[in-house]
Amino acid sequence: MNKKNIFLGIGVFSVLLLALNGWIFSKDKSAFARVQNVHLAPAKVMDIKRTVMAKGVVVPAENEAFYVQDRLGYVKVMEVKAGDEVTPGTVLFTYENPELEEEVRSLEQKKEETAVKETYYKDLQTKLQAQADALGTDKKEETKKNQLEKEQAKAKMESELAAARNSSIDEQLTKLAEEKENLSIKSNTQGVVKSVNQGASEGSMPIVEIVSKDDVQIKGNLTEEDSLIVEAGENVVILSPAMEDKQWKGTVSQFQDAKKGNEGSAFPFTVKMDQANNLKIGQHLQLKLKPVIREKAVVIPMSSLIKSKGKPFVYTVQEGYLKKWAVRTGLAYGKWIEIKAGIRPEDKVVSDPTSYLTENTEVNVPTKKAKDSKKDAPH
């Protein structure tokens, strides 16, 4: 009896399992029969105009830092202190270089020795010439005269060698004098001594730092996209959040190498002031660069754009199936993105693709009501 109940239970369970599988299969089949709805948006043509904005900070127009150079010797005399005003040519500090001094003394001694030799041999030439002139014309004195001429020629050669050595020593002394002059470090900037660190060593902090007193400039950063647009020489309107009623004019003067940060690369640039100002070093500002204008740009909704491994693409629908199109993007403009290549005007793209969509998937494009289509039109 128990065995019959067991077999009966197994049979009932099997029937229920088959029924459940059939129900799931029917549901799945109906699910497969359904296709996902997607909405399309046409690529449009419009004029893009936007202003590049950046943040900046006021810095000295000139900032000159001097570091210790061990090859020049050791710092003997500090000629300035923090707060001193300097001009180009002001001596800031002076090195002492014992090896250079010793080399100068050695050359000066050699110069004296060669000068004595040169004088000696010149006098010897004169003496020998006088002896030769005093001789007669007989054969015996003619032989002695020839010997004196040989000695005179040798004396002349020694005199000329001494003169050449003296000339060479003079050139070396001139060069050492220039090196000695370079031991006095001078300012190239008109400004104020910001700091003096007499105990600084090579490779550490500056021994002297100078900043311009009144003249200032502005340092700012651009995004990678804006760095491709902004060029040196362009006009800048400078705004201060602290002084809303004031603005100044400037010019983009130069760019520096990109710096990597947590949010991508930043592209530093400098703005030169074009007019008198009362800006203070360290003051934060807003920089408004000239508008960027792109006439008749092809744009699509920003939401249509998908990126895979850093490369942008969009989906289109062809004969009821999704197709993937690679594109090349340009300027962002509100909820629109410029397409430089890959899409033509009036081409339609999936406006809000989901992560579940894949190429060659069958989709349905419902008819869009006229009033809805006006919502996405650019202004």
Side-chain angles (χ1 to χ4, degrees), residues 52-311:
V52 176
M53 298 295 296
K55 294 180 180 180
V57 62
V58 180
V59 299
E62 293 185 82
N63 189 327
E64 191 173 22
F66 297 85
Y67 294 85
V68 172
Q69 301 178 67
D70 288 343
R71 65 178 181 80
L72 296 180
Y74 63 90
V75 178
K76 180 182 179 181
V77 180
M78 185 64 66
E79 304 286 357
V80 295
K81 62 182 182 299
D84 285 353
E85 294 189 15
V86 296
T87 58
T90 300
V91 177
L92 305 174
F93 57 96
T94 304
Y95 286 98
E96 179 75 10
N97 191 323
E99 293 180 0
L100 182 60
E101 294 292 343
E102 179 60 32
E103 191 174 356
V104 170
R105 283 193 296 270
S106 176
L107 285 172
E108 287 176 342
Q109 184 177 351
K110 288 180 181 179
K111 179 178 173 62
E112 290 179 5
E113 293 173 357
T114 54
V116 169
K117 286 183 180 180
E118 183 180 2
T119 302
Y120 169 77
Y121 285 112
K122 281 184 177 180
D123 290 343
L124 182 57
Q125 287 181 70
T126 303
K127 183 179 179 180
L128 293 171
Q129 183 65 47
Q131 292 177 10
D133 292 342
L135 294 174
T137 58
D138 60 29
K139 187 174 182 180
K140 184 178 179 180
E141 290 190 338
E142 189 69 30
T143 301
K144 191 174 181 180
K145 188 175 183 179
N146 290 336
Q147 181 62 34
L148 289 173
E149 288 177 351
K150 289 180 181 179
E151 292 179 11
Q152 187 180 4
K154 183 178 179 181
K156 181 181 180 182
M157 182 183 69
E158 291 292 342
S159 174
E160 289 175 349
L161 285 173
R165 290 193 189 100
N166 260 339
S167 178
S168 176
I169 291 172
D170 283 338
E171 289 179 1
Q172 294 178 64
L173 285 172
T174 300
K175 184 178 179 181
L176 291 177
E178 293 174 356
E179 291 183 20
K180 193 172 180 179
E181 177 67 20
N182 291 336
L183 296 181
S184 295
I185 307 303
K186 301 174 183 178
S187 171
N188 300 307
T189 303
Q190 180 168 346
V192 178
V193 177
K194 180 182 178 181
S195 63
V196 173
N197 304 291
Q198 193 164 357
S201 59
E202 187 169 33
S204 65
M205 66 183 72
I207 186 171
V208 175
E209 189 173 6
I210 300 171
V211 296
S212 52
K213 184 179 179 182
D214 300 315
D215 196 14
V216 297
Q217 60 185 3
I218 302 169
K219 294 281 188 181
N221 291 314
L222 292 170
T223 63
E224 183 173 1
E225 180 185 3
D226 288 341
S227 72
L228 300 175
I229 300 168
V230 178
E231 298 179 355
E234 291 187 0
N235 296 329
V236 182
V237 176
I238 301 156
L239 309 169
S240 171
M243 297 180 283
E244 296 182 358
D245 58 332
K246 290 188 176 182
Q247 66 179 33
W248 300 267
K249 294 180 180 180
T251 305
V252 177
S253 61
Q254 61 179 328
F255 292 90
Q256 289 84 41
D257 293 336
K259 297 179 180 178
K260 291 185 178 179
N262 296 330
E263 299 180 359
S265 295
F267 293 78
F269 70 106
T270 303
V271 174
K272 180 181 179 182
M273 301 297 297
D274 291 346
Q275 61 187 115
N277 61 85
N278 58 348
L279 298 173
K280 304 298 182 184
I281 294 174
Q283 188 173 346
H284 290 270
L285 303 166
Q286 292 285 340
L287 307 176
K288 185 178 180 181
L289 290 92
K290 74 175 187 180
V292 179
I293 300 175
R294 190 91 80 224
E295 295 181 352
K296 297 181 179 180
V298 178
V299 300
I300 62 172
M302 187 77 75
S303 60
S304 299
L305 196 66
I306 307 172
K307 286 190 177 181
S308 176
K309 298 180 180 180
K311 296 182 178 181

Side-chain angles (χ1 to χ4, degrees), residues 349-370:
V349 298
V350 176
S351 58
D352 291 291
T354 67
S355 57
Y356 302 105
L357 294 179
T358 58
E359 191 173 19
N360 296 321
T361 301
E362 186 179 4
V363 292
N364 178 56
V365 181
T367 303
K368 201 170 186 180
K369 295 180 181 179

Side-chain angles (χ1 to χ4, degrees), residues 32 35-36 38 40 314-325 348 350 357-365:
F32 289 136
V35 294
Q36 186 168 343
V38 296
L40 299 180
V314 295
Y315 280 125
T316 63
V317 177
Q318 294 182 5
E319 297 180 355
Y321 290 87
L322 286 178
K323 294 297 177 182
K324 187 176 178 181
W325 285 85
K348 294 183 178 180
V350 176
L357 294 179
T358 58
E359 191 173 19
N360 296 321
T361 301
E362 186 179 4
V363 292
N364 178 56
V365 181

